Amino acid sequence: PMSVERHAQDLYDAFSAAPDDSDWTYLFVGPFHTFEEYLAYAKEREHSRDPKQYAIVDNTTGKAIGSIAFLRIDQNNGSIEVGHVIYSRQLKQTAAATEAQFLMMQYALDTLKYRRYEWKCDSLNAPSRKAAERLGFTFEGIFRQAVIYRGRSRDTAWYAIIDSDWPKIRDAFTQWLAPDNFDKDGRQVQSLSTLRTA
């Protein structure tokens, strides 16, 4: 879980290293232009049970470079959502970014035994929609005029993985993350989508 004491300064430093505020376009929070602003947000999230925020820590440096959360936690119906994904520029489009998503899925579906794992985003957020599909989520439709945020109406795209999808998706992640799936320059040999359809 995210700790203000251990992670807040690292996360603020990582997020504020971006040259502009475009990373916050489709988020409900931010941008944070001072550490005090981010600290107030982090303190609120540290004690929240839903959403439950986690820090993503770079194993090489020991510094937090992103955060992610479980939310809309519905134990009775076996449903949980992943969201509030805030990746710094250091984390975006790296193997670690993909591994973080896999670890969240694995914890929710294997350890906690949820049967439905959701991903939702603004229908205009093309990178998020592309990421959901790459990670193995199934598109389930658009909820029109679902939310008002940042002064406009949002249509929400819904995606999910259910427990019967998971074994094949999990196997693809395991193969993709294997050291022999990366060349000497760290580039993937086979894509996740290729491994899922193999």
Side-chain angles (χ1 to χ4, degrees), residues 5 14 18 26 29 32 41 50 64 72-73 108 110 122 150 177 182 184 186-187 189:
E5 183 179 353
Y26 296 109
V29 299
F32 301 102
Y41 164 78
D50 187 351
R72 290 170 53 90
I73 300 167
D110 285 339
D122 191 312
R150 298 197 182 273
L177 288 164
F182 295 89
K184 61 182 176 59
R187 293 187 294 258
V189 177

Side-chain angles (χ1 to χ4, degrees), residues 3-17:
S3 160
V4 167
E5 183 179 353
R6 295 197 311 273
H7 305 128
Q9 187 67 60
D10 289 348
L11 288 170
Y12 174 74
D13 291 345
F15 298 149
S16 61

Side-chain angles (χ1 to χ4, degrees), residues 91-107:
L91 181 58
K92 284 186 175 186
Q93 298 182 327
T94 65
T98 299
E99 185 177 16
Q101 292 286 349
F102 172 58
L103 292 173
M104 293 290 281
M105 291 180 192
Q106 194 173 43
Y107 185 52

